[in-house]
Amino acid sequence: MLVNKSIMPESYNQVNIVSVKEDKPVKTWKGMTRRKKVKFRNDYFQEVTLSILLYEESPLLKQLIYATNGAVSSLVNATNSHDLVGKECVVEVKHTFTGMNIYANVVSIDHIKNYVEVPDEDDEDFEDES
């Protein structure tokens, strides 16, 4: 299978968390809100980065904590978010197009246990039951 090594495909991707860093705070409806920049990488070395807003009700923050078995109970107060590095999860990626550019965006994060691997149709071990 050939893959575009520059952009993660628009689908569910099995990934590892490769880094977690502080990001610039942004102004939100909750006032100035801290963020963490989380970088994910799949087996094809394609990467996607997500900037997560750090407030307790943040849907993506809750998803990340669930997907990593609570590796950190809360990134909001965590001083050592490096506990997430190396954790495996699944990210759903959707693409947006602006002019000639394609951007990969993480729209959801889930636990790996909720997914099963399905072989490619080109796979020699794949049997079509139809």
Side-chain angles (χ1 to χ4, degrees), residues 8 15-21 36-42 45-52 64 84-87 89 91 106 109:
M8 195 171 287
V15 296
N16 286 304
I17 298 172
V18 293
S19 70
V20 180
K21 298 179 180 176
K36 292 274 186 180
K37 194 177 282 191
V38 182
K39 185 182 287 188
F40 303 93
R41 181 181 300 146
N42 66 16
F45 297 96
Q46 297 165 313
E47 295 179 345
V48 64
T49 302
L50 171 65
S51 187
I52 296 182
L64 180 65
L84 292 171
V85 174
K87 298 292 182 188
C89 58
V91 294
V106 174
I109 307 167

Side-chain angles (χ1 to χ4, degrees), residues 74-93:
S74 171
L75 270 176
V76 175
N77 300 315
T79 54
N80 187 6
S81 53
H82 298 291
D83 293 342
L84 292 171
V85 174
K87 298 292 182 188
E88 188 176 47
C89 58
V90 172
V91 294
E92 180 183 6
V93 173

